Amino acid sequence: SLIGSPVTLKILQNWVPRVSHYFDKEHYTYVGHQIVIQESIEHFGAVVWPGALALSQYLESNQEQFNLKDKKVLEIGAGTGLLSIVACILGAHVTATDLPEVLENLSYNISRNTQNLNMHKPEVRKLVWGEGLNEDFPVSTYHYDFILATDVVYHHGALDPLLATMVYFCKPGTVLLWANKFRFSTDYEFLEKVCNIFNTTILAEFPESNVKLLKATVRKN
């Protein structure tokens, strides 16, 4: 069951008009930094979706409630890397993960936007939901303070592995922040499963964008 009365927010136009004539670059401003994102037409993971904008904005505005400084943060399905870059700027040790075919563009965006900043150097790694988690991210070594996931739920066949991945990384003390556009019945079914497994709070809703932002933590038995 969902707890909390969410704040109602609007996704702000945090991107600045394009200075360049290239169609594939988007410019954003978060936490006082201009961020340039290269999108790619070939892959779902290479476009900035509204959930990433919503969670980036929320983290920027709620730094006391969710202080990322020196925290270990894992983003699953990082896509273009916008949210991971924002988490970096907020001082986190970030590991951005996605499918192999997305990593080149993801790495490019992350390194380009964080290279001259005095912060923890982010890491980019392959993570296929539900596959090889014990080998690639053994529990003994990897513990994250925050798991970030945005627009990871849409019409695809990997919803069960996605849920298994969330469960795998969400240890006691970990906070999962998940922002998603809710369009399909499958989105709500996934939400129901999350609520059945975790303590789930709805933090914010962005009605114009159909985005909900949820916080989930492991149930204490």
Side-chain angles (χ1 to χ4, degrees), residues 24-39:
D24 62 339
K25 304 265 194 304
E26 292 283 1
H27 298 248
Y28 300 87
T29 310
Y30 287 101
V31 206
H33 291 265
Q34 180 157 325
I35 300 170
V36 183
I37 295 293
Q38 174 170 287
E39 297 191 330

Side-chain angles (χ1 to χ4, degrees), residues 30 48-57 75 80 82-83 86 150-151 179:
Y30 287 101
V48 176
W49 295 98
L53 300 175
L55 186 47
S56 294
Q57 178 179 318
E75 185 178 6
T80 59
L82 175 67
L83 178 59
V86 171
T150 63
D151 287 313

Side-chain angles (χ1 to χ4, degrees), residues 13-75:
Q13 300 289 324
N14 266 33
W15 56 96
V16 290
R18 291 179 180 165
V19 193
S20 64
H21 298 293
Y22 299 108
F23 69 93
D24 62 339
K25 304 265 194 304
E26 292 283 1
H27 298 248
Y28 300 87
T29 310
Y30 287 101
V31 206
H33 291 265
Q34 180 157 325
I35 300 170
V36 183
I37 295 293
Q38 174 170 287
E39 297 191 330
S40 139
I41 314 303
E42 294 91 79
H43 304 295
F44 259 157
V47 177
V48 176
W49 295 98
L53 300 175
L55 186 47
S56 294
Q57 178 179 318
Y58 193 85
L59 289 173
E60 177 184 45
S61 312
N62 294 275
Q63 294 177 45
E64 278 156 33
Q65 188 186 356
F66 296 107
N67 178 9
L68 299 192
K69 191 162 171 42
D70 300 328
K71 299 291 196 299
K72 291 193 163 58
V73 172
L74 174 73
E75 185 178 6

Side-chain angles (χ1 to χ4, degrees), residues 85-107:
I85 293 161
V86 171
C88 250
I89 293 169
L90 290 167
H93 291 272
V94 175
T95 303
T97 68
D98 213 315
L99 296 168
E101 60 268 24
V102 178
L103 294 186
E104 191 182 351
N105 193 54
L106 173 60
S107 302

